[in-house]
Amino acid sequence: MGKTLFDKIWDAHVVRQQSGYPDALFIDRHYIHEVTSPQAFDGLKKRGIGVFNTARTTATADHNVPTKDQHLPIKEALSRHQVETLRKNCKEFGVELYDLGHPFQGIVHIIGPELGFTQPGMTIVCGDSHTSTHGAFGTIAFGIGTSEVEQVLATQCILQHKPKRMRIEINGTLGKGVVAKDIILYIISKISASGATGYFVEYAGSTIESLSMEARMTICNMSIEMGARGGMIAPDETTFSYIKGRKFAPQAEAFDKAVAQWKQLKSDDDAEFDKVLAFDATDIAPMITYGTNPGMGIKVTDRIPTPEELKDISEKPSFIKSLDYMGLEPGSQLLGKSIDYVFIGSCTNARIEDLRMVASIVKGKKKANGVEVWIVPGSKQVEDQARKEGLDKVFEAAGFELRSPGCSACLGMNEDKIPAGKYCVSTSNRNFEGRQGPKSRTFLASPLSAAAAAITGKVTDVREWI
Amino acid sequence: MSKEKFTTLKSTAVPLPNENVDTDQIIPARFLKATTREGFGENLFRDWRYDSNNQPISNFVLNDSSFTGKILVAGKNFGCGSSREHAAWAIYDYGFRVVVSSFFADIFKNNALNNSLLPVVVSDAFLKSLLDAIQKNPSLEVTVDLENQFIEFDGNKESFEINPYKKSCLINGYDDIDYLLSLDKEIREFDKQHA
């Protein structure tokens, strides 16, 4: 029997397989940031040990940073202390840090691929659940807790049981106005926020193969929102040409040699998965979420379900609680609903392609009165590229605010928060209660849909604009 | 480094029947700014426990003095969302030692196990009858026996699964790094070969 891509990469990284123990899995690349690393470094200090291999570790500051006036000291004392602690730890342990103001700084899952650190066949971890993003390159990449961050810093290994394997196939041509974000919101709406718990997903099929790397990253990024440990896509020419020439990628002959190896990275035709799902791309429409978990999504023109329409009746109380939080009526239309904020950013949708999508919709238009629009590029390099292409002028003319890189309003941790009771169309990944700030209300959507909403001030079907 | 050991626990329990309790509810991101592991319990379920004026919300279960104990019993898909280990720290710091649910998110489960907090997976039916029983009788005593892998209340008993390695870590108070450090030579060799 053949092997899945997941098994091939996993098996190649097992340092020790011992009966009664989880596998000791070697980690090729470890990304760290300010929020989930301080306690791990403390653990190393208590044990009196160093970082196993600093060359395999990359740090940046992203979650807790302001997106305005980044050259000034961080105003809030606890946030400042956390970023300063990262600085101190990186210096003491010899870890490369792309700090605020560095040309490579940005959201950890955006800079890794952008700098060429993320390469096919690797195992990658980070103390952040959206580490699944890197799976777009044909890697095993998953989020870990701080105790595990400490394990990897100390030993470059992690103790893990192999998850089950799921294959999700999407075939066919996407309709106009339908992009990667819609694909993943559609899948999650079909299988629920826990539909892939216990699994590692491989996405495949003609639709996936047709996507750019940016789009593939958006899909793999949200694997965790259906409970999956991670998601991956077999590397192909699109992958190789994205990596070629990036700063920390293999160069010249070494690159050609690497590509020859990377070409082997795919599931065998007779590989067996524990579960296989298939979807038809032509059934996917621009999607939007209406509730407080990412599985609560609908096509933008559909009605919000009623409690009676739920597949699992036991979920009725949670469903009612969720709609109550959102201030929405069961069975009503979301289309045309007035909104207050638009947030374009996060590790899901803050790459240059996302910003270009937004610009394509808003060029020559102005935002609706009363709507505040924040565009937060995923990295310094994305920001620089956007300015080079003149996208900043398009945004400025539309009345949008282009900010500096960081996680921003995705998680209500730094200064950027959506006020209580306000509605925000957001390109981020989570619509949990209070995720974007206490009592904030989030509608997750694609950059195209978010851009259209910014112009009309309402939940909008972007297909009418294309 | 040694951790608190877990063998058997007899305690009253706190019911939280909500499903899909995500880690942003367990501990909102704005409280993740500490650089130590302690003190997160005070912000456990912060936005369900306190209103915007920091006043306790009376109908939330942690503010209801009739429900106390070291066992939290929650609806399915508990701990979904972010990988923040702070969620496990907050639950532990508040005083819980066991979380019972019919389904846990993967990362949360690992984080709990790494922090001497035992996640106990039970059937939907057992969960429902346990939640009902606690609601009816808040002083109901629940037993969680890790050695023999069962949970019991009022004559209802169900066994639960736990990975044998993690079980022995909990019972003996070991952590993963102790084991991985013992493989140091092998790992260095592997690292060299895969440079």
Side-chain angles (χ1 to χ4, degrees):
Chain A
M1 194 182 68
K3 273 172 123 178
T4 66
L5 172 58
F6 177 83
D7 284 290
K8 288 181 187 179
I9 300 175
W10 182 285
D11 294 349
H13 286 82
V14 173
V15 175
R16 169 81 74 91
Q17 201 158 42
Q18 194 172 336
S19 153
Y21 287 83
D23 290 349
L25 193 70
F26 188 82
I27 298 301
D28 293 310
R29 172 79 23 207
H30 187 193
Y31 296 116
I32 61 171
H33 61 87
E34 74 277 21
V35 180
T36 58
S37 67
Q39 295 87 351
F41 279 114
D42 264 358
L44 296 188
K45 287 176 208 166
K46 281 186 192 140
R47 287 173 205 266
I49 52 179
V51 172
F52 184 93
N53 185 347
T54 52
R56 293 190 183 273
T57 315
T58 308
T60 193
D62 57 2
H63 282 63
N64 213 348
V65 303
T67 57
K68 275 168 121 173
D69 296 328
Q70 284 187 340
H71 60 289
L72 299 175
I74 299 174
K75 281 184 233 154
E76 214 256 327
L78 288 173
S79 299
R80 192 172 61 240
H81 177 68
Q82 206 170 47
V83 173
E84 280 167 0
T85 303
L86 179 70
R87 263 172 219 153
K88 234 170 65 196
N89 284 329
C90 286
K91 201 168 166 203
E92 184 178 338
F93 287 88
V95 172
E96 181 86 54
L97 167 66
Y98 301 130
D99 201 350
L100 285 180
H102 191 286
F104 297 161
Q105 181 266 339
I107 304 175
V108 65
H109 309 308
I110 299 218
I111 67 166
E114 181 176 82
L115 292 169
F117 280 122
T118 296
Q119 295 163 24
M122 282 184 164
T123 48
I124 297 174
V125 294
C126 173
D128 186 281
S129 60
H130 293 110
T131 308
S132 57
T133 312
H134 307 270
F137 291 80
T139 69
I140 292 182
F142 54 93
I144 57 177
T146 298
S147 295
E148 295 169 318
V149 171
E150 187 182 337
Q151 280 179 42
V152 180
L153 287 174
T155 69
Q156 207 59 45
C157 280
I158 189 164
L159 277 185
Q160 290 283 304
H161 289 282
K162 218 187 223 189
K164 290 180 280 185
R165 282 69 97 203
M166 183 188 289
R167 180 178 164 97
I168 297 182
E169 234 181 81
I170 303 130
N171 288 299
T173 310
L174 293 169
K176 70 171 185 177
V178 180
V179 291
K181 183 64 162 287
D182 301 306
I183 299 177
I184 191 66
L185 285 174
Y186 174 90
I187 297 171
I188 304 168
S189 78
K190 292 284 180 196
I191 74 169
S192 92
S194 58
T197 303
Y199 290 90
F200 207 99
V201 175
E202 181 180 345
Y203 302 95
S206 65
T207 316
I208 299 293
E209 286 163 20
S210 73
L211 297 175
S212 68
M213 286 317 294
E214 283 87 349
R216 293 179 192 186
M217 283 189 256
T218 299
I219 290 181
C220 289
N221 172 277
M222 287 189 71
S223 303
I224 181 73
E225 309 314 336
M226 49 189 173
R229 209 56 216 281
M232 67 196 322
I233 294 169
D236 59 11
E237 289 304 326
T238 306
T239 323
F240 310 145
S241 58
Y242 177 98
I243 297 171
K244 193 173 185 178
R246 293 197 180 257
K247 186 159 175 71
F248 296 100
Q251 308 290 330
E253 264 175 51
F255 178 78
D256 296 336
K257 230 174 108 185
V259 168
Q261 281 185 353
W262 294 341
K263 283 185 172 167
Q264 313 298 314
L265 293 169
K266 52 186 171 203
S267 291
D268 296 328
D269 291 338
D270 56 345
E272 261 187 50
F273 290 82
D274 298 287
K275 197 169 185 177
V276 178
L277 299 173
F279 298 101
D280 175 2
T282 59
D283 186 47
I284 307 175
M287 297 289 293
I288 192 156
T289 64
Y290 59 88
T292 54
N293 77 58
M296 301 173 85
I298 49 174
K299 294 176 183 172
V300 69
T301 47
D302 281 355
R303 280 183 307 105
I304 296 169
T306 61
E308 289 68 36
E309 289 166 338
L310 294 177
K311 270 183 245 155
D312 182 354
I313 204 74
S314 75
E315 290 190 354
K316 202 167 153 178
S318 302
F319 179 83
I320 292 169
K321 182 174 179 283
S322 176
L323 285 197
D324 187 49
Y325 178 87
M326 291 297 291
L328 297 171
E329 288 298 319
S332 67
Q333 283 269 335
L334 214 48
L335 199 63
K337 170 93 189 158
S338 289
I339 53 138
D340 309 291
Y341 283 78
V342 171
F343 170 59
I344 289 157
S346 88
C347 55
T348 312
N349 279 127
R351 298 178 186 84
I352 189 65
E353 191 178 272
D354 301 312
L355 269 49
R356 286 181 194 141
M357 264 194 257
V358 174
S360 75
I361 296 289
V362 307
K363 193 165 188 180
K365 300 191 181 73
K366 271 205 172 318
K367 75 175 177 71
N369 282 333
V371 175
E372 205 164 312
V373 186
W374 299 341
I375 300 201
V376 183
S379 71
K380 204 73 198 144
Q381 293 204 64
V382 171
E383 184 188 342
D384 293 347
Q385 183 63 29
R387 290 186 192 282
K388 216 163 95 187
E389 295 179 17
L391 304 186
D392 56 328
K393 299 282 186 303
V394 175
F395 298 146
E396 200 183 317
F400 294 7
E401 194 179 342
L402 180 63
R403 296 188 164 206
S404 299
C407 297
S408 185
C410 174
L411 85 164
M413 171 163 204
N414 47 69
E415 293 168 14
D416 304 349
K417 293 186 184 75
I418 306 302
K422 299 291 182 193
Y423 288 100
C424 178
V425 175
S426 177
T427 67
S428 55
N429 38 58
R430 288 187 176 136
N431 51 357
F432 298 152
E433 281 184 35
R435 172 75 181 184
Q436 297 196 281
K439 302 271 179 270
S440 61
R441 292 159 161 171
T442 305
F443 297 136
L444 298 177
S446 77
L448 286 180
S449 297
I455 303 301
T456 60
K458 294 181 170 75
V459 173
T460 301
D461 184 354
V462 71
R463 287 172 295 193
E464 292 163 15
W465 293 58
I466 293 171
Chain B
M1 281 192 295
S2 65
K3 303 231 175 209
E4 187 180 300
K5 296 175 185 180
F6 189 108
T7 47
T8 298
L9 178 69
K10 265 185 203 197
S11 167
T12 51
V14 177
L16 184 71
N18 307 46
E19 281 139 14
N20 299 313
V21 174
D22 59 75
T23 53
D24 277 83
Q25 306 318 312
I26 299 172
I27 181 98
R30 62 188 191 279
F31 300 111
L32 305 184
K33 298 182 182 187
T35 53
T36 60
R37 290 174 190 243
E38 293 79 31
F40 290 100
E42 97 185 59
N43 293 313
L44 175 67
F45 296 116
R46 178 76 201 192
D47 293 336
W48 288 352
R49 240 166 108 193
Y50 299 101
D51 65 17
S52 47
N53 300 316
N54 294 323
Q55 294 306 306
I57 297 170
S58 59
N59 64 1
F60 184 61
V61 69
L62 293 191
N63 295 324
D64 182 343
S65 57
S66 45
F67 295 106
T68 56
K70 294 185 171 182
I71 301 172
L72 178 67
V73 184
K76 73 173 175 203
N77 199 24
F78 187 84
C80 58
S82 149
S83 62
R84 60 188 71 162
E85 193 162 314
H86 313 65
W89 298 338
I91 295 171
Y92 184 91
D93 190 57
Y94 184 86
F96 292 114
R97 292 295 176 268
V98 172
V99 186
V100 180
S101 179
S102 56
F103 196 90
F104 287 96
D106 286 331
I107 306 180
F108 175 81
K109 193 151 84 178
N110 279 353
N111 287 342
L113 288 165
N114 283 335
N115 287 281
S116 311
L117 178 69
L118 177 64
V120 173
V121 184
V122 296
S123 66
D124 286 321
F126 187 89
L127 180 68
K128 190 173 180 311
S129 53
L130 177 57
L131 283 167
D132 289 347
I134 303 166
Q135 296 282 6
K136 256 187 231 149
N137 173 19
S139 54
L140 177 84
E141 194 163 77
V142 181
T143 302
V144 177
D145 184 331
L146 176 59
E147 185 93 56
N148 299 301
Q149 292 180 226
F150 70 81
I151 173 168
E152 186 176 24
F153 69 95
D154 229 4
N156 295 286
K157 191 168 166 181
E158 189 167 279
S159 59
F160 62 84
E161 294 288 313
I162 181 167
N163 168 265
Y165 166 76
K166 280 295 176 193
K167 179 178 171 179
S168 89
C169 284
L170 281 169
I171 289 175
N172 298 302
Y174 298 153
D175 72 13
D176 290 350
I177 300 184
D178 299 329
Y179 172 67
L180 285 172
L181 285 172
S182 75
L183 307 182
D184 190 68
K185 229 177 113 188
E186 274 168 79
I187 302 172
R188 293 211 180 266
E189 193 52 41
F190 191 99
D191 189 18
K192 226 187 291 166
Q193 282 168 11
H194 294 79

